[in-house]
Amino acid sequence: MPSARRNDMLELAMAPQARRLQIAAAVSVLAALIWPGQAVLVARALGRLLDGVPVAPLPVAAGFVALGLIRAALGLWADRLSQQAAESVITGLRNQIIAAEAARAYETAFGGAGAVAALAGEKLATLAPWLLRYGPARARVMVTPLVLLTLSFSLSWAAGLILLISGPLIPVFMALVGMAAKDASARQLAGIGSLNDLLVERLSALADIRLLGAGRQVADGFAAEATNLRQRSMAVLRLAFLSSTVLELFAAIGVAMMAVYVGFSLLGEVSFGTWGGPLTPAQGIFLLLLAPEFYQPLRDLAAAWHDRAATDALRDELGLWQAAATPARPGAGARVTRLSGPADLRLTGCRLPSGAALPEIAISAGEAVALVGPSGAGKTSTLRLMAGLVPAAPGMVRVAGGQLLDDAAADGWRARIGWMPQAVHFLGTSFGASLRMGREGDLATAMKAAAAGHLTPRLTARPGETGGGLSGGEARRLSLARALLAAPDVILADEPTADLDAETAHAVVDGLLAARDRGVTLVIATHDPALAARMDRIIRIGNPA
């Protein structure tokens, strides 16, 4: 398990699984310590055979197999505990990221949807090898080599000295490689997020790309980014293979040195290194059997060190995601009873995400108001404040006769709102289901009011996220139908006539004004002076254009 360097997301997620991971590490150590018992059985049997003493093979084989089965069972148990802990940690972090992103009041500086999806998906999956291998390997390194070193020294100080000198070379080189491995892993993770963001962006603009005939340029750009990611991934693999080769070399040299010493001792060519009498065949075989197992935990830790480097890079990325956190959207997003009271609004002392102050805004029930101003002035953000989609702090938004629009009132207030965003989005299901979104209402009437009755036969079709197969005007009419479906008391529309031809724009505006005539409070953000002129009142956001 990692040292408690800071109280970050990963450590908080691991805290409930700490006990399980500790048990897994302890069981893994216990499994490794069974090998000396097996080595004793083999060494004694072979030693007696070399001395010409008869040996009953069945008890030796039975004991060796029994200990081996116990060792395998303990290893499986440790793996199972680690796997359960890994699944729990990854699932918890993934749910935390998804829940936080779903409740975001604003987009963050961390990255787009592709970067967040990569973080919650394939990047979090890199935790599994670390949780499965690093903790148990580190625990074995702390115990097993010391036990085997003690056993080796008890038989021969020369054999113990061979292990004592050669063993530390592996963790020293491992630490040196680890620093470069973390940097390489960080670059790889950043590349994955960037490539996912690029893919999402290109897919969302696919219709425009095809219309402009820019497919080849986009494909070339994507290929360049994919090549860059491939190079970063290969850099990580090169480090892994290089370090593994060097560490295996150190282990092989150590085992070879032990074999040379034992061999020459048994041949009588070397007479030093023991605590008195000469090395016996049984002792020599026992030392030879211990040597590979002395290096094995170090090799396992070296292999898991790259997993640790990847996890350190992921830890930093989780920290960046946390640092980019924004206030949560008010309310729980639950279906509740509509908030009672008149459909009026009042904004006092509110500020935009940019920090700019909004004028005090008061809109009466049944009033039609246009929000106008230059691009980027904050019209869309003002609509989001009115809908309770972003917190109003440090100001206040009061609705429905003066009730504060906070967590307690937000869901009930939004149940009264028809929302018509500037960018039209549909669910990955039929048009009809995407318009209903699980709500009750007369869809045919809403379609007629939005001048979209001719699109009714297409309600069973499955659009893309941005309404593939629809023209901009058709998508805007369906967006209006969705806003009108549940008979809202307030309609908030963001640029409802943007990029529409005159006929379609006229139909959409007529649908909105018809709702106003039925007593619906209407607030529209627009650059269209003709549309603004048809409202009861104009409120300017930012400096006048």
Side-chain angles (χ1 to χ4, degrees):
M1 293 174 58
S3 60
R5 296 184 299 174
R6 56 187 182 273
N7 196 30
D8 58 11
M9 276 184 69
L10 181 55
E11 288 170 5
L12 290 174
M14 288 180 59
Q17 300 300 319
R19 181 65 176 168
R20 180 177 285 173
L21 290 170
Q22 290 169 355
I23 294 174
V27 172
S28 177
V29 171
L30 184 60
L33 292 179
I34 289 178
W35 175 248
Q38 293 179 285
V40 166
L41 290 175
V42 174
R44 284 183 175 177
L46 293 178
R48 294 184 69 178
L49 288 174
L50 291 175
D51 290 336
V53 180
V55 176
L58 187 58
V60 175
F64 186 86
V65 170
L67 289 175
L69 291 175
I70 294 173
R71 186 180 185 185
L74 291 174
L76 290 174
W77 183 22
D79 289 345
R80 182 178 179 83
L81 290 172
S82 298
Q83 182 68 43
Q84 290 172 343
E87 291 177 357
S88 179
V89 170
I90 292 172
T91 300
L93 285 171
R94 184 169 291 143
N95 290 341
Q96 184 177 347
I97 291 172
I98 292 173
E101 289 296 325
R104 290 278 194 219
Y106 315 109
E107 292 185 359
T108 70
F110 175 77
V116 175
L119 176 62
E122 54 198 299
K123 293 183 182 181
L124 281 184
T126 62
L127 285 175
W130 176 68
L131 290 168
L132 288 171
R133 299 192 296 184
Y134 181 75
R138 195 179 74 163
R140 291 195 299 272
V141 164
M142 294 173 65
V143 177
T144 307
L146 293 178
V147 172
L148 300 185
L149 186 64
T150 301
L151 292 174
S152 299
F153 265 114
S154 69
L155 298 177
S156 167
W157 61 263
L161 198 60
I162 291 173
L163 299 181
L164 184 62
I165 293 175
S166 60
L169 293 175
I170 295 179
V172 168
F173 185 79
M174 179 176 62
L176 294 175
V177 172
M179 293 183 288
K182 179 185 176 182
D183 292 338
S185 297
R187 290 191 294 269
Q188 182 194 27
L189 291 180
I192 292 173
S194 299
L195 187 63
N196 280 18
D197 265 347
L198 180 64
L199 178 59
V200 170
E201 179 186 343
R202 296 299 185 264
L203 288 176
S204 64
L206 189 57
D208 293 333
I209 291 170
R210 295 182 63 183
L211 182 64
L212 295 172
R216 173 52 57 188
Q217 293 87 337
V218 170
D220 290 344
F222 194 79
E225 290 295 328
T227 299
N228 183 34
L229 177 58
R230 183 168 62 251
Q231 292 171 345
R232 295 183 183 189
S233 300
M234 290 304 299
V236 175
L237 292 175
R238 280 195 297 270
L239 280 172
F241 286 127
L242 174 62
S243 61
S244 296
T245 300
V246 175
L247 298 178
E248 289 292 336
L249 175 63
F250 288 154
I253 291 174
V255 173
M257 291 174 62
M258 180 67 75
V260 169
Y261 168 73
V262 170
F264 279 104
S265 294
L266 294 179
L267 290 173
E269 299 295 330
V270 173
S271 58
F272 66 88
T274 62
W275 299 105
L279 200 66
T280 66
Q283 291 173 336
I285 294 172
F286 182 69
L287 290 173
L288 288 176
L289 292 174
L290 289 188
E293 289 299 312
F294 173 83
Y295 296 106
Q296 189 59 48
L298 298 171
R299 293 158 69 188
D300 292 341
L301 185 62
W305 197 261
H306 294 280
D307 301 325
R308 181 182 184 274
T311 297
D312 284 343
L314 176 61
R315 186 194 300 268
D316 292 341
E317 188 146 342
L318 287 171
L320 292 175
W321 179 82
Q322 279 185 296
T326 63
R329 181 183 302 116
R335 295 190 182 278
V336 298
T337 304
R338 293 189 177 197
L339 192 68
S340 60
D344 56 5
L345 298 114
R346 179 179 292 274
L347 280 66
T348 306
C350 294
R351 288 188 175 273
L352 299 171
S354 63
L358 277 176
E360 183 167 334
I361 297 175
I363 299 174
S364 302
E367 191 176 10
V369 175
L371 304 179
V372 301
S375 297
K379 300 185 295 298
T380 298
S381 296
T382 303
L383 290 180
R384 291 173 63 82
L385 280 168
M386 293 178 177
L389 295 176
V390 295
M396 293 186 298
V397 177
R398 295 191 177 275
V399 298
Q403 301 179 64
L404 184 64
L405 186 54
D406 54 11
D407 282 335
D411 291 330
W413 173 245
R414 286 196 291 262
R416 301 180 64 177
I417 290 175
W419 178 256
M420 190 177 177
Q422 182 176 357
V424 181
H425 290 274
F426 296 94
L427 304 178
T429 181
S430 67
F431 279 115
S434 190
L435 296 187
R436 286 191 176 278
M437 300 183 69
R439 301 171 299 170
E440 299 294 331
D442 189 343
L443 183 56
T445 299
M447 294 282 286
K448 182 178 179 180
H454 64 288
L455 298 174
T456 299
R458 302 177 63 179
L459 291 180
T460 57
R462 297 174 65 90
E465 181 183 350
T466 56
L470 294 175
S471 67
E474 290 172 334
R476 199 61 61 90
R477 294 186 193 198
L478 290 180
S479 180
L480 176 58
R482 179 161 55 189
L484 295 173
L485 175 65
D489 300 316
V490 180
I491 292 179
L492 304 178
D494 191 3
E495 300 288 358
T497 60
D499 304 321
L500 299 183
D501 60 83
E503 181 181 355
T504 303
H506 184 76
V508 169
V509 172
D510 285 347
L512 290 170
L513 293 177
R516 188 273 310 270
D517 294 340
R518 296 192 299 271
V520 174
T521 303
L522 183 60
V523 183
I524 295 175
T526 183
H527 284 98
D528 185 352
L531 173 58
R534 299 184 67 180
M535 300 295 104
D536 300 330
R537 184 159 55 100
I538 294 175
I539 297 176
R540 295 196 176 276
I541 305 297
N543 296 323

